[in-house]
Amino acid sequence: GASPTGSRREKSKAGADGKKPDVHEHFLNAYNKRFEERAKAEEARKREEEEKKQREEEQRRKETERRKREEDERHQELQRKMEQMKREEEEERRQMEDLKRRAEERRRREEELAAKERAAKEAAKGNEERSSRRGEREEDRREDRD
């Protein structure tokens, strides 16, 4: 029955009623509080890890984009240089063709001039021979008259 000093059971009931806090309840509350704090800390740690992963992933993505952009820029610069070289080669080829064409024209003009000079010399020589033959005939006629 009910002893005047009371049993433990009665004391724990008294603590549950709010008159006297029970030792077990105190440890239970402390345990629950530590469990919640650990759970919050674990959640914060997981959140931090996830954020770190996301930051690293973002950093890798940005680094990849930067490398790709640099590679594209190098490729475009190479393309520009190649196109410039092609234009320069084409210009050099045109200049060479122009020089060859002019040299060929000069050679033809020189040949034509040389041919005209030869023809003129031949004509002059022919005229000299004709005039000297004519002169001989005139001398012959004069001699015949004399």
Side-chain angles (χ1 to χ4, degrees), residues 42-58 60:
E42 181 67 18
E43 200 173 299
R45 188 185 62 77
K46 283 184 180 176
R47 217 178 18 255
E48 182 60 35
E49 276 182 21
E50 186 61 32
E51 288 172 1
K52 184 180 175 187
K53 275 186 198 173
Q54 286 176 349
R55 281 193 305 271
E56 289 172 351
E57 182 61 33
E58 180 69 14
R60 279 194 298 275

PDB file of all heavy atoms in Angstrom, residues 42-58 60:
ATOM      1  N   GLU A  42      24.585  17.339 -38.103  1.00  0.00           N
ATOM      2  CA  GLU A  42      24.745  16.414 -39.250  1.00  0.00           C
ATOM      3  C   GLU A  42      24.089  16.996 -40.493  1.00  0.00           C
ATOM      4  O   GLU A  42      24.659  16.956 -41.588  1.00  0.00           O
ATOM      5  CB  GLU A  42      24.141  15.051 -38.898  1.00  0.00           C
ATOM      6  CG  GLU A  42      24.269  14.013 -39.994  1.00  0.00           C
ATOM      7  CD  GLU A  42      25.695  13.589 -40.267  1.00  0.00           C
ATOM      8  OE1 GLU A  42      26.578  13.813 -39.420  1.00  0.00           O
ATOM      9  OE2 GLU A  42      25.928  13.035 -41.362  1.00  0.00           O
ATOM     10  N   GLU A  43      22.892  17.559 -40.305  1.00  0.00           N
ATOM     11  CA  GLU A  43      22.183  18.173 -41.427  1.00  0.00           C
ATOM     12  C   GLU A  43      22.983  19.360 -41.971  1.00  0.00           C
ATOM     13  O   GLU A  43      23.129  19.514 -43.188  1.00  0.00           O
ATOM     14  CB  GLU A  43      20.796  18.637 -40.955  1.00  0.00           C
ATOM     15  CG  GLU A  43      19.819  18.832 -42.082  1.00  0.00           C
ATOM     16  CD  GLU A  43      18.424  19.126 -41.546  1.00  0.00           C
ATOM     17  OE1 GLU A  43      17.864  18.275 -40.827  1.00  0.00           O
ATOM     18  OE2 GLU A  43      17.929  20.216 -41.855  1.00  0.00           O
ATOM     19  N   ALA A  44      23.533  20.175 -41.060  1.00  0.00           N
ATOM     20  CA  ALA A  44      24.348  21.322 -41.480  1.00  0.00           C
ATOM     21  C   ALA A  44      25.600  20.833 -42.212  1.00  0.00           C
ATOM     22  O   ALA A  44      25.997  21.402 -43.238  1.00  0.00           O
ATOM     23  CB  ALA A  44      24.734  22.166 -40.270  1.00  0.00           C
ATOM     24  N   ARG A  45      26.232  19.762 -41.683  1.00  0.00           N
ATOM     25  CA  ARG A  45      27.418  19.205 -42.337  1.00  0.00           C
ATOM     26  C   ARG A  45      27.072  18.694 -43.740  1.00  0.00           C
ATOM     27  O   ARG A  45      27.786  18.958 -44.695  1.00  0.00           O
ATOM     28  CB  ARG A  45      27.988  18.060 -41.480  1.00  0.00           C
ATOM     29  CG  ARG A  45      29.338  17.533 -41.971  1.00  0.00           C
ATOM     30  CD  ARG A  45      29.805  16.322 -41.185  1.00  0.00           C
ATOM     31  NE  ARG A  45      28.884  15.199 -41.308  1.00  0.00           N
ATOM     32  CZ  ARG A  45      28.794  14.390 -42.381  1.00  0.00           C
ATOM     33  NH1 ARG A  45      29.560  14.612 -43.430  1.00  0.00           N
ATOM     34  NH2 ARG A  45      27.944  13.391 -42.415  1.00  0.00           N
ATOM     35  N   LYS A  46      25.934  17.982 -43.849  1.00  0.00           N
ATOM     36  CA  LYS A  46      25.510  17.474 -45.164  1.00  0.00           C
ATOM     37  C   LYS A  46      25.218  18.631 -46.121  1.00  0.00           C
ATOM     38  O   LYS A  46      25.578  18.581 -47.297  1.00  0.00           O
ATOM     39  CB  LYS A  46      24.263  16.585 -45.016  1.00  0.00           C
ATOM     40  CG  LYS A  46      24.568  15.207 -44.492  1.00  0.00           C
ATOM     41  CD  LYS A  46      23.318  14.357 -44.451  1.00  0.00           C
ATOM     42  CE  LYS A  46      23.623  12.961 -43.930  1.00  0.00           C
ATOM     43  NZ  LYS A  46      22.411  12.153 -43.803  1.00  0.00           N
ATOM     44  N   ARG A  47      24.546  19.662 -45.597  1.00  0.00           N
ATOM     45  CA  ARG A  47      24.239  20.828 -46.423  1.00  0.00           C
ATOM     46  C   ARG A  47      25.539  21.481 -46.902  1.00  0.00           C
ATOM     47  O   ARG A  47      25.670  21.834 -48.068  1.00  0.00           O
ATOM     48  CB  ARG A  47      23.400  21.827 -45.598  1.00  0.00           C
ATOM     49  CG  ARG A  47      22.341  22.534 -46.402  1.00  0.00           C
ATOM     50  CD  ARG A  47      21.440  23.492 -45.638  1.00  0.00           C
ATOM     51  NE  ARG A  47      21.895  23.954 -44.323  1.00  0.00           N
ATOM     52  CZ  ARG A  47      21.402  23.523 -43.159  1.00  0.00           C
ATOM     53  NH1 ARG A  47      20.449  22.614 -43.120  1.00  0.00           N
ATOM     54  NH2 ARG A  47      21.864  24.012 -42.020  1.00  0.00           N
ATOM     55  N   GLU A  48      26.493  21.622 -45.983  1.00  0.00           N
ATOM     56  CA  GLU A  48      27.789  22.230 -46.318  1.00  0.00           C
ATOM     57  C   GLU A  48      28.509  21.386 -47.374  1.00  0.00           C
ATOM     58  O   GLU A  48      29.066  21.912 -48.330  1.00  0.00           O
ATOM     59  CB  GLU A  48      28.649  22.377 -45.057  1.00  0.00           C
ATOM     60  CG  GLU A  48      29.995  23.039 -45.287  1.00  0.00           C
ATOM     61  CD  GLU A  48      29.907  24.449 -45.840  1.00  0.00           C
ATOM     62  OE1 GLU A  48      28.960  25.187 -45.477  1.00  0.00           O
ATOM     63  OE2 GLU A  48      30.773  24.813 -46.657  1.00  0.00           O
ATOM     64  N   GLU A  49      28.490  20.053 -47.190  1.00  0.00           N
ATOM     65  CA  GLU A  49      29.109  19.163 -48.187  1.00  0.00           C
ATOM     66  C   GLU A  49      28.443  19.322 -49.547  1.00  0.00           C
ATOM     67  O   GLU A  49      29.118  19.384 -50.568  1.00  0.00           O
ATOM     68  CB  GLU A  49      28.998  17.701 -47.734  1.00  0.00           C
ATOM     69  CG  GLU A  49      30.067  17.257 -46.784  1.00  0.00           C
ATOM     70  CD  GLU A  49      29.935  15.780 -46.420  1.00  0.00           C
ATOM     71  OE1 GLU A  49      29.283  15.022 -47.177  1.00  0.00           O
ATOM     72  OE2 GLU A  49      30.490  15.393 -45.371  1.00  0.00           O
ATOM     73  N   GLU A  50      27.121  19.382 -49.539  1.00  0.00           N
ATOM     74  CA  GLU A  50      26.378  19.531 -50.797  1.00  0.00           C
ATOM     75  C   GLU A  50      26.712  20.869 -51.451  1.00  0.00           C
ATOM     76  O   GLU A  50      26.940  20.935 -52.666  1.00  0.00           O
ATOM     77  CB  GLU A  50      24.867  19.417 -50.541  1.00  0.00           C
ATOM     78  CG  GLU A  50      24.020  19.408 -51.784  1.00  0.00           C
ATOM     79  CD  GLU A  50      24.317  18.251 -52.719  1.00  0.00           C
ATOM     80  OE1 GLU A  50      24.687  17.156 -52.259  1.00  0.00           O
ATOM     81  OE2 GLU A  50      24.184  18.452 -53.948  1.00  0.00           O
ATOM     82  N   GLU A  51      26.749  21.928 -50.639  1.00  0.00           N
ATOM     83  CA  GLU A  51      27.106  23.239 -51.190  1.00  0.00           C
ATOM     84  C   GLU A  51      28.523  23.226 -51.741  1.00  0.00           C
ATOM     85  O   GLU A  51      28.795  23.791 -52.796  1.00  0.00           O
ATOM     86  CB  GLU A  51      26.973  24.323 -50.102  1.00  0.00           C
ATOM     87  CG  GLU A  51      25.524  24.641 -49.759  1.00  0.00           C
ATOM     88  CD  GLU A  51      25.405  25.566 -48.538  1.00  0.00           C
ATOM     89  OE1 GLU A  51      26.452  25.971 -47.981  1.00  0.00           O
ATOM     90  OE2 GLU A  51      24.259  25.861 -48.152  1.00  0.00           O
ATOM     91  N   LYS A  52      29.434  22.548 -51.006  1.00  0.00           N
ATOM     92  CA  LYS A  52      30.817  22.453 -51.470  1.00  0.00           C
ATOM     93  C   LYS A  52      30.866  21.701 -52.800  1.00  0.00           C
ATOM     94  O   LYS A  52      31.567  22.121 -53.730  1.00  0.00           O
ATOM     95  CB  LYS A  52      31.673  21.738 -50.414  1.00  0.00           C
ATOM     96  CG  LYS A  52      33.140  21.686 -50.756  1.00  0.00           C
ATOM     97  CD  LYS A  52      33.939  20.977 -49.682  1.00  0.00           C
ATOM     98  CE  LYS A  52      35.397  20.834 -50.096  1.00  0.00           C
ATOM     99  NZ  LYS A  52      36.165  20.021 -49.158  1.00  0.00           N
ATOM    100  N   LYS A  53      30.120  20.594 -52.887  1.00  0.00           N
ATOM    101  CA  LYS A  53      30.065  19.833 -54.147  1.00  0.00           C
ATOM    102  C   LYS A  53      29.552  20.712 -55.273  1.00  0.00           C
ATOM    103  O   LYS A  53      30.092  20.692 -56.377  1.00  0.00           O
ATOM    104  CB  LYS A  53      29.127  18.625 -54.008  1.00  0.00           C
ATOM    105  CG  LYS A  53      29.760  17.400 -53.432  1.00  0.00           C
ATOM    106  CD  LYS A  53      28.754  16.254 -53.504  1.00  0.00           C
ATOM    107  CE  LYS A  53      29.120  15.117 -52.580  1.00  0.00           C
ATOM    108  NZ  LYS A  53      28.072  14.101 -52.540  1.00  0.00           N
ATOM    109  N   GLN A  54      28.492  21.475 -54.967  1.00  0.00           N
ATOM    110  CA  GLN A  54      27.923  22.347 -56.003  1.00  0.00           C
ATOM    111  C   GLN A  54      28.924  23.425 -56.418  1.00  0.00           C
ATOM    112  O   GLN A  54      29.058  23.722 -57.604  1.00  0.00           O
ATOM    113  CB  GLN A  54      26.624  22.984 -55.509  1.00  0.00           C
ATOM    114  CG  GLN A  54      25.464  22.018 -55.460  1.00  0.00           C
ATOM    115  CD  GLN A  54      24.193  22.645 -54.884  1.00  0.00           C
ATOM    116  OE1 GLN A  54      24.225  23.740 -54.338  1.00  0.00           O
ATOM    117  NE2 GLN A  54      23.086  21.931 -55.015  1.00  0.00           N
ATOM    118  N   ARG A  55      29.631  24.010 -55.420  1.00  0.00           N
ATOM    119  CA  ARG A  55      30.646  25.028 -55.746  1.00  0.00           C
ATOM    120  C   ARG A  55      31.747  24.423 -56.607  1.00  0.00           C
ATOM    121  O   ARG A  55      32.171  25.021 -57.594  1.00  0.00           O
ATOM    122  CB  ARG A  55      31.242  25.619 -54.469  1.00  0.00           C
ATOM    123  CG  ARG A  55      30.380  26.665 -53.792  1.00  0.00           C
ATOM    124  CD  ARG A  55      31.167  27.430 -52.726  1.00  0.00           C
ATOM    125  NE  ARG A  55      31.792  26.571 -51.723  1.00  0.00           N
ATOM    126  CZ  ARG A  55      31.219  26.162 -50.590  1.00  0.00           C
ATOM    127  NH1 ARG A  55      29.979  26.534 -50.303  1.00  0.00           N
ATOM    128  NH2 ARG A  55      31.878  25.385 -49.750  1.00  0.00           N
ATOM    129  N   GLU A  56      32.213  23.218 -56.227  1.00  0.00           N
ATOM    130  CA  GLU A  56      33.270  22.554 -57.008  1.00  0.00           C
ATOM    131  C   GLU A  56      32.780  22.236 -58.416  1.00  0.00           C
ATOM    132  O   GLU A  56      33.513  22.423 -59.388  1.00  0.00           O
ATOM    133  CB  GLU A  56      33.734  21.277 -56.296  1.00  0.00           C
ATOM    134  CG  GLU A  56      34.540  21.552 -55.039  1.00  0.00           C
ATOM    135  CD  GLU A  56      34.838  20.285 -54.245  1.00  0.00           C
ATOM    136  OE1 GLU A  56      34.278  19.214 -54.568  1.00  0.00           O
ATOM    137  OE2 GLU A  56      35.631  20.372 -53.287  1.00  0.00           O
ATOM    138  N   GLU A  57      31.545  21.755 -58.501  1.00  0.00           N
ATOM    139  CA  GLU A  57      30.973  21.435 -59.819  1.00  0.00           C
ATOM    140  C   GLU A  57      30.870  22.711 -60.670  1.00  0.00           C
ATOM    141  O   GLU A  57      31.216  22.704 -61.854  1.00  0.00           O
ATOM    142  CB  GLU A  57      29.592  20.784 -59.654  1.00  0.00           C
ATOM    143  CG  GLU A  57      28.943  20.371 -60.957  1.00  0.00           C
ATOM    144  CD  GLU A  57      29.742  19.340 -61.728  1.00  0.00           C
ATOM    145  OE1 GLU A  57      30.401  18.492 -61.100  1.00  0.00           O
ATOM    146  OE2 GLU A  57      29.706  19.387 -62.981  1.00  0.00           O
ATOM    147  N   GLU A  58      30.409  23.784 -60.048  1.00  0.00           N
ATOM    148  CA  GLU A  58      30.309  25.076 -60.752  1.00  0.00           C
ATOM    149  C   GLU A  58      31.700  25.536 -61.197  1.00  0.00           C
ATOM    150  O   GLU A  58      31.870  26.009 -62.314  1.00  0.00           O
ATOM    151  CB  GLU A  58      29.661  26.119 -59.817  1.00  0.00           C
ATOM    152  CG  GLU A  58      29.500  27.486 -60.420  1.00  0.00           C
ATOM    153  CD  GLU A  58      28.478  27.560 -61.529  1.00  0.00           C
ATOM    154  OE1 GLU A  58      27.675  26.619 -61.680  1.00  0.00           O
ATOM    155  OE2 GLU A  58      28.488  28.561 -62.266  1.00  0.00           O
ATOM    156  N   ARG A  60      34.319  23.602 -61.775  1.00  0.00           N
ATOM    157  CA  ARG A  60      34.742  22.731 -62.894  1.00  0.00           C
ATOM    158  C   ARG A  60      34.054  23.148 -64.188  1.00  0.00           C
ATOM    159  O   ARG A  60      34.685  23.204 -65.240  1.00  0.00           O
ATOM    160  CB  ARG A  60      34.435  21.268 -62.581  1.00  0.00           C
ATOM    161  CG  ARG A  60      35.459  20.597 -61.693  1.00  0.00           C
ATOM    162  CD  ARG A  60      35.286  19.082 -61.690  1.00  0.00           C
ATOM    163  NE  ARG A  60      33.999  18.657 -61.166  1.00  0.00           N
ATOM    164  CZ  ARG A  60      33.743  18.481 -59.864  1.00  0.00           C
ATOM    165  NH1 ARG A  60      34.682  18.688 -58.970  1.00  0.00           N
ATOM    166  NH2 ARG A  60      32.554  18.078 -59.471  1.00  0.00           N
TER     167      ARG A  60
END
